[in-house]
Amino acid sequence: MNIHMTLSARSFFFRLATALAVVIFFAVLARAGGPKYVAGSTFFNSSMMGQPITWSLGQITYYTDQGDLSPILPHASANALVANAFLQWTSVSTAALTAIDGGQLAEDVNGSNIAVDSNGAVIAPADITSSATQTPVGIVYDYDGSVTDALLGAGAGDPSQCFWNAVYGGADNFSVGGNFLHALVVINGQCALQSSQLTDVEYRLVRVLGDVIGLGWSQVNLNVVTGKPPPTSDDYAGFPVMHYMDSSSCVPITVCFANPYQLASDDVAALSRLYPAINSNSSARIHGTVYFVDHRGSPAQPMQGVNVFARWIDPATGLPSHRYAASSVSGFLFTGNAGNPVTGWSDPLGNLYSDYGSSAQAVEGFFDLGGLPIPNRASTAQYQLTVEALDPLWSAGVSPYDASQVAPSGAPQPIVVTVGAGGDFDQDILMAGSAQAVPSWAATETWSAPASVPAPGDWVGSLSGYRDVGYFLITAQANRTLSVAVTALDEKGAPSESKVAPVIGMWTLGDALGTPPPALTPTSFNSETFGMSRLDAQVLLSNSFIIGISDLRGDGRPDYHYHAHVLYGDSVSPARVPVNGGAITLQGTGFAPGLTITVGGMAVPLLATNAGQMLAAASAQSDGPQTITINDPVSGAFSVMTNAITFGAAATDRIVLLPGVHPSTPVGTQATNPVMVRVLASDGITPVNGATVGWSTTNGVTLTICGGASTCSAASDESGIASTWVTPSATGNAIITATLAPGVYNPAQSVSTTVTATSSAMDIGVTTPYLWIAAGASLSVPLTARVVSFGAPKSGTSVNFAIMQGSGSLSSPSAVTNSSGYASVTLTLTNFISAIQLSACVAPGNNPCQTIAGNPVAASMLNLQGVAGEGQVVAGSAFQPLTVRVIDGSTPPNPVLGAGVLFQSTVLRPLENDLTLVPSGASGDPAGMPVILSVSQSTLQSDANGLASFLPSLGSFTGSLEIEIQVSAGTTAALQAEMEAFPGVGSGSASPPTHRPWPRSFPVPRELPLDHFFVH
């Protein structure tokens, strides 16, 4: 497996737990609307697909518990309550339904003989289990609430839970021929302790029996619940018993409904459609299909989930009646949830979604308003057909989109239909102004030919057509994560949770069609952002991957629009930066302003971005690999690039000691040559810039790199070099050790060298025993000697300086040591072309002495090394100096003094399609050439360490700018440095300079238009 999920959906487990609590005994399976259950394409005989499931011949035989229901409802009274509840349904004259009292169950069902084991299996008397088809409907009298506690959880049978658990149950067995075989109903006796509670119990019993009979929930006159507009007496009279949910304030139920279980015309019509009476000519039927319309207004795809209702037009007033009304949800025979290739084709209990609801698209938008009454004994009547959305709260359980209602698209004008008693009338409904599918931007989005994720990682699409799935291709490398965020949109382009319910899966390219995705969103809308589903996947092996976007229900329609965005960080350039940080360029997909970046857990400023690249300033980190995380604070999307960048030294780097001679050195004086090391990459050639080198010594040696201390850490320069001058403080051998990235890697790499120190009553040392000077140079250079006695500085001692060979002039033939033992004079050279040798001796006897040698270096032998400051990127702050080192051709090379170093600086406005664009104003010219704003040059001489430093300046120019600096010395030595400047990041803030390595390169795809770039 190449990928897996990195986050679980926050809502999935809550919803799953809730669902399991409800169905622990009665499996609430996916189903289509109108009738509660409609036979699907699996489990049932194929000839039954699309047919409502009913009791055979309309006969229900029920068996009641042997025990009492409550102290005020002994067995006989409880039986009478049950019979009267059944009578509400069986007394409908236009329905062929009978309920037969079959007698008693074989036992008193109570807490002693019913339980749920640790696996969730119900242990119960045989004649109430789902296989007890000889007792088709079992009625349990739960006298003390213990049965309810066992089935629904401890405390569920308490009197405080009667609003929810007074009566519950449903069908739990079906035949392949499309009939109910068994159902169970439990009445909680703890809810029937007082006579004032009996109306509530019977009301809830009538509703549960409606469910057992096979009726689904409906929506008519919802203003009775919402109060908008205030309900009239006709609204109450037409309000169906089989509405989905009551307000918790309706206790007792008569507070809200005077006649709570009196059937409304909608209940009667629904029952008559499910169990039609033979030769019943007292009602009429209107049926048809609800359609989307195309851009010409012609019927297009059928639209399911629309509540279609018919209201009788009262001839006396000419107004639609709220007393005589019936409803049917379009697509009630169609499968409301067919499953999908992402989350699967079965529910959490393993039942196939295809078991229920027809897969024939001919019934996708079909509605059936049979059983319409013809009031006042008339032979004809007029009915007004209108449509409305199902309320996502008060009608959430109305099928086919139960639990997640879908808002209709478009709106038709009311239609008046004249019907006659016993008549059957066909009337389609066209949803004028309904949404059109989003035109596809890709040639194909199929499994076998997925569309490549567009370069910006952002697109708008639609799932139009039943079971439509969009498949997209992306290539990703190992040790990365990516986020795919899909936001459902309404017709206006606003986020919505009443349209498509997106789920996202991710497969490896080459997986067989039908393979469960290793990474997926278990449900839709799993993020904290409204309307958004988000998949966060981890890539384990580099490969190409297929991203699939589907509707949770497997649905597809023209108004299922979505906005998809992929956030993926692929690579970083350079892959290595110094330990003190530097500018980095991230390549990936879906980048945009507003993203945040952390490197090694530290936030770094984002300087500029386009859809495929981001320029950021990485802060200092310790040596070794670090992880980069890109975050979208708005959507919560993120991409983690594990160990994508190395700071300083890598595990495979090498540290080498550069050759150098270390003659015996008097204690208290500087050694003749510095100790120099170089850090190289694993190839043994490439220098490593900014690697930590830990310096340590023995025998009290002090190091200039450590400011006179014996231990410290410093970073290698741009040529990989780290060096220090050494001053012994005790006689004998001292070991100087340089350790690469101390404390980071085990074992640590280190190199060492030995310096031997001597001591006498009078010693002298010089700070520059060897000088390599550019041929032809004219300059003045200080010469410094130190006089010590047994390592202690000698003050007030005269030191004689003399030119032993060559030509030059000294500022003085002698100098007196200061309190630290130092004495200095200045050597002036003019057009230096031949070697010079000087001596520094302690007066008056000119003993002891040290020599100073100066050697000319021809211009053709000069080379340049980068030291610091190349590739700087600043945002609202000044540049740091650019420093180079002039060296000769020796091995190891020697620093060259007095070389003329030319710095030519060009300030320019970058190309219009480069990343560093100005938000407004000029960029490049139409021909694609950068605009050169200024050119200047400066020549500086290198110092005794071979160093020359130049401070880059933008002058008075502002905005996004580049500086190109050509550095040259001698006849052939040259380097090029490039730097970038951005406006300040944020209001009044400035980002410190960061650096890119030599040479700098930051390509930007030329095909991206100007408006795809953003500067922060």
Side-chain angles (χ1 to χ4, degrees), residues 703-721:
L703 307 175
T704 56
I705 192 70
C706 299
S710 297
T711 60
C712 68
S713 290
S716 59
D717 65 19
E718 290 173 353
S719 298
I721 293 174

Side-chain angles (χ1 to χ4, degrees), residues 353-502:
Y353 291 119
S354 58
D355 285 348
Y356 295 88
S358 174
S359 60
Q361 289 185 262
V363 297
E364 184 176 5
F366 178 73
F367 66 91
D368 189 347
L369 290 166
L372 297 175
I374 309 293
N376 303 331
R377 299 181 180 271
S379 59
T380 63
Q382 283 190 320
Y383 272 87
Q384 182 192 71
L385 286 186
T386 53
V387 302
E388 66 181 359
L390 290 167
D391 189 277
L393 173 63
W394 297 107
S395 298
V398 178
S399 299
Y401 289 136
D402 51 312
S404 181
Q405 298 298 342
V406 177
S409 180
Q413 293 297 317
I415 300 171
V416 176
V417 180
T418 301
V419 300
D424 191 335
F425 301 90
D426 190 351
Q427 178 63 61
D428 292 337
I429 298 176
L430 304 184
M431 300 293 283
S434 55
Q436 307 296 309
V438 175
S440 178
W441 52 268
T444 175
E445 298 177 5
T446 64
W447 176 270
S448 58
S452 294
V453 170
D458 196 270
W459 70 96
V460 173
S462 59
L463 300 176
S464 181
Y466 185 63
R467 287 195 172 178
D468 187 18
V469 182
Y471 292 106
F472 305 91
L473 188 67
I474 190 170
T475 299
Q477 60 174 305
N479 300 317
R480 303 288 186 266
T481 73
L482 59 84
S483 288
V484 184
V486 179
T487 302
L489 305 176
D490 62 16
E491 287 91 336
K492 296 180 179 179
S496 172
E497 292 190 0
S498 60
K499 292 293 185 179
V500 64

Side-chain angles (χ1 to χ4, degrees), residues 67-71 73-75 78 81 141-143 187-190 192 201:
D68 297 336
L69 177 56
S70 75
L73 282 179
H75 183 263
L81 178 76
Y141 300 153
D142 184 12
Y143 186 89
I187 308 174
N188 184 0
Q190 292 297 293
V201 172

Side-chain angles (χ1 to χ4, degrees), residues 499-781:
K499 292 293 185 179
V500 64
V503 289
I504 312 159
M506 191 167 169
W507 298 261
T508 301
L509 183 66
D511 285 348
L513 181 64
T515 302
L520 74 156
T521 54
T523 189
S524 56
F525 308 126
N526 63 322
S527 77
E528 298 292 338
T529 303
F530 178 77
M532 178 182 290
S533 302
R534 194 183 77 233
L535 171 64
D536 302 315
Q538 182 176 6
V539 180
L540 303 178
L541 296 174
S542 300
N543 212 322
S544 293
F545 301 94
I546 295 176
I547 297 169
I549 301 173
S550 173
D551 178 64
L552 177 66
R553 299 153 296 219
D555 198 14
R557 22 191 286 178
D559 60 342
Y560 277 7
H561 300 176
Y562 67 84
H563 173 202
H565 189 88
V566 175
L567 179 60
Y568 168 61
D570 183 77
S571 60
V572 57
S573 177
R576 185 195 296 236
V577 294
V579 289
N580 60 351
I584 58 174
T585 303
L586 305 181
Q587 288 88 26
T589 301
F591 297 161
L595 298 181
T596 63
I597 303 172
T598 61
V599 179
M602 296 177 60
V604 301
L606 178 60
L607 303 178
T609 183
N610 65 26
Q613 298 185 96
M614 289 192 292
L615 178 62
S619 306
Q621 298 278 353
S622 61
D623 295 83
Q626 297 290 348
T627 294
I628 300 173
T629 302
I630 306 166
N631 283 289
D632 184 343
V634 175
S635 69
F638 63 91
S639 180
V640 178
M641 306 167 66
T642 303
N643 294 338
I645 188 169
T646 299
F647 281 74
T652 56
D653 289 346
R654 300 167 51 193
I655 185 169
V656 296
L657 180 68
L658 297 182
V661 178
H662 301 292
S664 295
T665 301
V667 172
T669 67
Q670 183 174 285
T672 303
N673 293 307
V675 177
M676 300 178 65
V677 297
R678 195 171 198 184
V679 182
L680 301 173
S682 58
D683 60 8
I685 299 173
T686 305
V688 176
N689 177 21
T692 300
V693 176
W695 294 95
S696 62
T697 66
T698 63
N699 205 24
V701 168
T702 61
L703 307 175
T704 56
I705 192 70
C706 299
S710 297
T711 60
C712 68
S713 290
S716 59
D717 65 19
E718 290 173 353
S719 298
I721 293 174
S723 64
T724 183
W725 292 95
V726 176
T727 302
S729 59
T731 58
N733 292 333
I735 299 174
I736 296 89
T737 300
T739 302
L740 181 61
V744 176
Y745 302 112
N746 188 19
Q749 290 189 58
S750 63
V751 292
S752 61
T753 189
T754 301
V755 172
T756 300
T758 60
S759 182
S760 68
M762 188 67 67
D763 289 307
I764 188 172
V766 292
T767 57
T768 53
Y770 298 103
L771 293 171
W772 288 267
I773 304 170
S778 297
L779 52 81
S780 296
V781 57

